[in-house]
Amino acid sequence: MSRTATYHTTVRWKGEHWGHLVMGNGPEMDFSAPPDAHGHADVFTPEDAFVAAANTCVMMMFIWATERFKLKLLSYECRTEGTKLIELDRTEIFTRLHFRPVIRVAADGDSPSVVEARVRRALQSAQKYSLVANSVKSEIVVDPEIVIEP
Amino acid sequence: MPEYLETTVDKFIFRVATDRVYSPEGVWALAEGSRVRVGITDFLQQRNGDVAFVHMKPIGTKLAVGDEFAELETIKATVSFFAPVRGTVVEVNTDLELSPEVVNQEPYGKGWLAVMEATDLEADRAKLLDPQAYLSAMRSQAEEELKKQ
């Protein structure tokens, strides 16, 4: 098993505060900065990309974890918020990523407390093994709402 | 509380308890009279990832050296472990059914897997590795893994 893998994206300037992004996995789209950073509304931004990278990666890892932990997942939705800090020297950093997943699983014959404990372990594993979450230096906070359906 | 040998490979610290012996594959065996408590090493638990389920051969199962006695399903893999001595399973760690993560948290303590009544403990134990020998073998294995690119 190879211990490294590479992923790539390509960006091209389109003029003014616009760019075009081609992702290694196929999709491409225009992007800008957020309106409060001299960009445009309603388009993809680096800030969204950063938060989305963590959010999507943790979700995909959680889906994998539910399979390994034999959980019957009914639904998963997660709003994740990234907090940007503007430092004294005007550099900026995402200090915190706050995940609020709402997770519904079927008890499937097990007691709700046992299932909830497995969901929490699966979430911890998802965070631990998420490539992106594991790569960022922001604090990561996960506040799940777990619903066990009988 | 056992004492530990410790080695660092890359950014990982692996501990080896000094009060027991080891199979080359990383199953430890701790003599308790004619019985042997068995479990997996710190290296194996770190290498295989967060444990989701532990399956063990039932009490009464007779095992030869090298027979599978436990299977761990982790977040990354399903891994079998093999008996380090001959004997009969007389106890399994039922706490792991609800708390399999203890294998990761305390591999040399509460994360033990089974107790065997050994058939010929002295003869089998002589073929296992002492802590220093296991530490060296494990370190070589870890370094070999690091070289794979």
Side-chain angles (χ1 to χ4, degrees), chain A residues 1 47 53 56 89 94 98 106 122 149:
Chain A
M1 180 175 69
E47 288 79 353
T56 53
D89 64 356
F94 272 109
H98 193 162
E149 301 281 351

Side-chain angles (χ1 to χ4, degrees), chain B residues 16-91:
Chain B
V16 175
T18 55
D19 60 351
R20 58 201 80 189
V21 290
Y22 297 85
S23 72
E25 297 80 26
V27 173
W28 55 257
L30 177 63
E32 296 175 349
S34 62
R35 295 186 167 186
V36 179
R37 193 173 297 270
V38 294
I40 65 168
T41 60
D42 184 33
F43 173 65
L44 280 193
Q45 69 82 12
Q46 290 195 52
R47 182 86 182 91
N48 289 300
D50 291 358
V51 177
F53 293 96
V54 177
H55 308 286
M56 277 170 295
K57 295 290 185 192
I59 290 171
T61 304
K62 293 186 186 311
L63 298 167
V65 173
D67 284 352
E68 180 183 318
F69 77 96
E71 182 185 79
L72 268 57
E73 294 184 51
T74 77
I75 189 80
K76 289 287 183 180
T78 300
V79 193
S80 295
F81 298 101
F82 305 100
V85 297
R86 287 166 286 173
T88 304
V89 177
V90 293
E91 194 179 344

Side-chain angles (χ1 to χ4, degrees), chain B residues 42-143:
Chain B
D42 184 33
F43 173 65
L44 280 193
Q45 69 82 12
Q46 290 195 52
R47 182 86 182 91
N48 289 300
D50 291 358
V51 177
F53 293 96
V54 177
H55 308 286
M56 277 170 295
K57 295 290 185 192
I59 290 171
T61 304
K62 293 186 186 311
L63 298 167
V65 173
D67 284 352
E68 180 183 318
F69 77 96
E71 182 185 79
L72 268 57
E73 294 184 51
T74 77
I75 189 80
K76 289 287 183 180
T78 300
V79 193
S80 295
F81 298 101
F82 305 100
V85 297
R86 287 166 286 173
T88 304
V89 177
V90 293
E91 194 179 344
V92 296
N93 189 350
T94 51
D95 289 347
L96 301 179
E97 288 170 21
L98 288 180
S99 303
E101 67 275 15
V102 176
V103 175
N104 298 111
Q105 294 162 351
E106 296 187 50
Y108 297 117
K110 291 178 181 170
W112 61 275
L113 298 177
V115 175
M116 295 171 62
E117 182 71 44
T119 307
D120 190 346
L121 181 56
E122 287 312 306
D124 290 340
R125 192 160 58 176
K127 296 171 189 163
L128 295 171
L129 303 175
D130 65 34
Q132 188 61 56
Y134 174 70
L135 184 84
S136 300
M138 175 267 287
R139 190 177 168 84
S140 300
Q141 192 182 339
E143 287 172 344

Side-chain angles (χ1 to χ4, degrees), chain A residues 70-123:
Chain A
K70 298 179 181 161
L71 290 162
K72 198 164 186 182
L73 184 65
L74 301 174
S75 68
Y76 177 96
E77 185 169 331
C78 182
R79 177 186 160 85
T80 294
E81 188 176 270
T83 302
K84 179 180 79 171
L85 172 70
I86 303 171
E87 306 270 20
L88 280 174
D89 64 356
R90 301 188 187 220
T91 58
E92 299 179 347
I93 182 172
F94 272 109
T95 53
R96 178 176 156 111
L97 285 167
H98 193 162
F99 292 72
R100 291 185 179 86
V102 178
I103 300 162
R104 284 175 57 244
V105 293
D108 211 23
D110 289 324
S111 82
S113 62
V114 168
V115 175
E116 182 172 338
R118 289 219 315 268
V119 172
R120 289 185 184 279
R121 291 215 318 278
L123 261 179

Side-chain angles (χ1 to χ4, degrees), chain A residues 1-4 61 64-70 114 117-118 121-122 124-126 128-129 134, chain B residues 10 47 49-53 55 73-78 98-101 145-149:
Chain A
M1 180 175 69
S2 174
R3 298 184 61 248
T4 60
M61 200 59 225
W64 168 258
T66 59
E67 291 170 14
R68 296 300 294 173
F69 281 83
K70 298 179 181 161
V114 168
R118 289 219 315 268
R121 291 215 318 278
Q124 287 167 357
S125 290
K128 176 180 172 181
Y129 291 96
N134 204 20
Chain B
D10 193 22
R47 182 86 182 91
D50 291 358
V51 177
F53 293 96
H55 308 286
E73 294 184 51
T74 77
I75 189 80
K76 289 287 183 180
T78 300
L98 288 180
S99 303
E101 67 275 15
E145 287 291 327
L146 274 181
K147 286 181 195 159
K148 294 179 184 170
Q149 291 290 338

